[in-house]
Structure formats: structure tokens, C-alpha cells
């Protein structure tokens, strides 16, 4: 990069673009260390402050890790989990999981050659307004919520909370803070609540501090918020909200033409 009095952009933006192109072209590969601030300043004939501004911009874009002092920054690794969102809750998949006796997250990870685990808590609470609306409940009616932090290959991957009307969940394994071996879709079918369809609402936003901490989300990455409402022929029976970090998730939908 050469200096010119006719530049349209500040120096740090030029340096940031040079590094950005090096990452996108593969000259700087995921996981590789960046040169130190001093080395970058010398190579590009700019001040250390210019280097810091450029690195800060790339950190904010999620392209490099945060660093301290003279070094420590690396190109972000991105190995997204390809999650087949439309297939996961199909009846065919429910039957498969019931045969092998594993939870949906465990089964879906196994299909991808990964080890899926989760930590589950269960609470009874008043239905939040948005959940009550989707379940056709009054906001003061009780609901049962299963809260999960789900791990893939031992690393935290997503937050997954499912709300059930209390009249469906009470007295069933849904109330237990443990995996439902056959999966909740198959369990609810056994209980007389066969899911015949679901609707998904998908949006993006920046993570809140709790999500950033629990999922170890790097700076600059948004989350995908997937809200899925499941229905029997008669009524909505569950609402699941999944927080998918944008640095490690690819949602795939396969639908008939």
C-alpha cells in the first residue's frame, strides 16, 4: 500500500481493506496469526495508531480475533454447522430418533459427524406475551419451558428454549431436566399431540451480553433468532426459540417446489 495525498479514505481504511482482501483471498488462512502492530506499521509505512484502528475495524467485522498488546490476533476460524432446519422436526426423522433412542440435537449432530450434548433446565412460568400469543393462551396462564444450552463437539453452540402449555407438559417427561430419549416430537405424538406442521420466523440481531458470554460469540457477529411454532390439527402446542450464533451456523431449508 502506498501513501498518496489524493487518497479518498483515511489510511486505516486502506490498511483494513488490504488485510480484508488478504483474508478473503486465502493469503491469510483461518487460524493464522496476523503480523504484530509494529510489523504492520513498518510494512505499510503507517503509524501504530493507524494499525490499531484498522485492526479494530476488522475485529468489529468478525474477521479477526481480539488481541492485546503487540500481537495475539488471528484470522477467525469459521466452520459453520450445517443445520437442516426443515428436516429436523419431520415425522420421518422423529421415527428414526425413536428407533435409535436419542434426542434430536444428538441425532442431528451425529449425522454431521459431531458429538452433540446439551444442558437442560425446566421451569414453570407465566407465558410471556409473545409466547402466549403464539400458543393462543392468556398471558397469565402457566407454561412449562425447557431451556437448553446445546454443545457441538464440546463447544457451546446455541441456546434453545421451548415453551409448552402446562396442560400438555405436566406429568410427562417434558418436566424432567434431561434428554427425552425418543425426542419430544415422538413423545408428544404418543401423548396424543401429533405435530402436523410448524411455522418458522427467522430474524437477525446483535447478541445481548448474556448470549455473548454463554456462547462465546466473537465481536462483530450477529445471532440468528429462529422462532418455531408447532401445531397439531387442533391447536399450537409448542414454541421454540433458538439463538444461533452467526459465526458458526448455516440454516438449510429443503422444501417441495
Amino acid at each position: 500500500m502506498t501513501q498518496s495525498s489524493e487518497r479518498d479514505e483515511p489510511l486505516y481504511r486502506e490498511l483494513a481493506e488490504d488485510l480484508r482482501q488478504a483474508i478473503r483471498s486465502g493469503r491469510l488462512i483461518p487460524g493464522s496469526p496476523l503480523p504484530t502492530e509494529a510489523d504492520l506499521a513498518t510494512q505499510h509505512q503507517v503509524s501504530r495508531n493507524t494499525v490499531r484502528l484498522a485492526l479494530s475495524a476488522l475485529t468489529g467485522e468478525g474477521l479477526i480475533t481480539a488481541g492485546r498488546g503487540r500481537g495475539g490476533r488471528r484470522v477467525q476460524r469459521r466452520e459453520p454447522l450445517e443445520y437442516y432446519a426443515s428436516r429436523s422436526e419431520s415425522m420421518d426423522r422423529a421415527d428414526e430418533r425413536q428407533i435409535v433412542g436419542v434426542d434430536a440435537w444428538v441425532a442431528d449432530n451425529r449425522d454431521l459427524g459431531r458429538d452433540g450434548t446439551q444442558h437442560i433446565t425446566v421451569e414453570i412460568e407465566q407465558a410471556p406475551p409473545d409466547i402466549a400469543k403464539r400458543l393462543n393462551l392468556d398471558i397469565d396462564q402457566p407454561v412449562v419451558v425447557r431451556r437448553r444450552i446445546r454443545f457441538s463437539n464440546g463447544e457451546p453452540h446455541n441456546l434453545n428454549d421451548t415453551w409448552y402449555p402446562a396442560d400438555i407438559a405436566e406429568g410427562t417427561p417434558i418436566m424432567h431436566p434431561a434428554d427425552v430419549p425418543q425426542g419430544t416430537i415422538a413423545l408428544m405424538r404418543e401423548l396424543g399431540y401429533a405435530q402436523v406442521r410448524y411455522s418458522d420466523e427467522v430474524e437477525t440481531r446483535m447478541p445481548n451480553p448474556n448470549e455473548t458470554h454463554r456462547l462465546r460469540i466473537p465481536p462483530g457477529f450477529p445471532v440468528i433468532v429462529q422462532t418455531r411454532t408447532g401445531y397439531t390439527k387442533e391447536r399450537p402446542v409448542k414454541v421454540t426459540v433458538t439463538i444461533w450464533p452467526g459465526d458458526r451456523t448455516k440454516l438449510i431449508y429443503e422444501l417441495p417446489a
Side-chain angles (χ1 to χ4, degrees):
M1 183 183 71
T2 59
Q3 298 190 37
S4 167
S5 60
E6 297 179 358
R7 289 184 302 273
D8 294 325
E9 298 290 335
L11 278 175
Y12 85 87
R13 291 183 179 173
E14 294 185 20
L15 175 55
E17 181 58 21
D18 282 357
L19 295 172
R20 193 179 291 115
Q21 290 302 320
I23 293 169
R24 290 173 176 168
S25 68
R27 286 185 285 122
L28 288 172
I29 63 174
S32 64
L34 268 69
T36 65
E37 291 180 2
D39 287 342
L40 286 170
T42 299
Q43 291 170 15
H44 295 273
Q45 301 178 33
V46 296
S47 70
R48 289 280 290 274
N49 187 59
T50 296
V51 171
R52 293 189 187 104
L53 289 171
L55 295 177
S56 178
L58 296 180
T59 302
E61 295 172 23
L63 292 176
I64 64 174
T65 64
R68 304 183 69 178
R70 297 184 176 182
R73 297 174 180 84
R74 292 180 177 272
V75 179
Q76 285 282 12
R77 291 186 181 275
R78 296 199 66 193
E79 299 175 354
L81 182 148
E82 295 185 346
Y83 188 78
Y84 287 82
S86 53
R87 192 172 67 193
S88 179
E89 290 198 6
S90 70
M91 284 298 105
D92 288 344
R93 293 287 289 158
D95 290 338
E96 291 173 13
R97 290 193 291 262
Q98 191 166 21
I99 292 170
V100 298
V102 295
D103 179 87
W105 178 248
V106 176
D108 291 341
N109 269 265
R110 185 177 295 176
D111 288 348
L112 298 169
R114 297 183 179 223
D115 178 31
T117 57
Q118 55 192 339
H119 178 262
I120 303 170
T121 60
V122 178
E123 301 173 14
I124 300 175
E125 64 181 29
Q126 286 188 336
D130 59 327
I131 301 300
K133 181 178 180 181
R134 290 181 173 89
L135 290 175
N136 289 340
L137 300 174
D138 295 332
I139 59 173
D140 60 346
Q141 287 188 255
V143 288
V144 174
V145 56
R146 287 172 62 87
R147 302 189 188 277
R148 310 172 186 87
I149 178 168
R150 304 197 296 190
F151 300 82
S152 186
N153 287 345
E155 296 295 324
H157 192 279
N158 63 81
L159 302 175
N160 178 273
D161 297 344
T162 303
W163 286 263
Y164 301 86
D167 65 293
I168 291 177
E170 287 183 344
T172 76
I174 292 171
M175 299 293 295
H176 303 161
D179 288 350
V180 176
Q182 71 270 49
T184 56
I185 299 295
L187 171 65
M188 292 181 69
R189 181 173 57 184
E190 294 170 8
L191 296 172
Y193 301 101
Q195 181 172 292
V196 297
R197 66 182 179 91
Y198 62 80
S199 66
D200 272 9
E201 303 165 56
V202 180
E203 59 183 329
T204 60
R205 60 168 170 78
M206 296 308 293
N208 62 41
N210 177 60
E211 293 160 350
T212 298
H213 172 70
R214 296 182 70 192
L215 297 176
R216 305 174 193 168
I217 301 173
F221 282 101
V223 292
I224 304 167
V225 183
Q226 177 198 27
T227 302
R228 174 168 291 184
T229 305
Y231 300 84
T232 66
K233 290 181 179 179
E234 293 80 23
R235 61 185 282 197
V237 292
K238 68 185 184 72
V239 176
T240 299
V241 178
T242 308
I243 307 298
W244 301 97
D247 66 316
R248 70 200 74 161
T249 306
K250 180 187 292 186
L251 297 183
I252 301 173
Y253 287 83
E254 295 178 335
L255 303 172

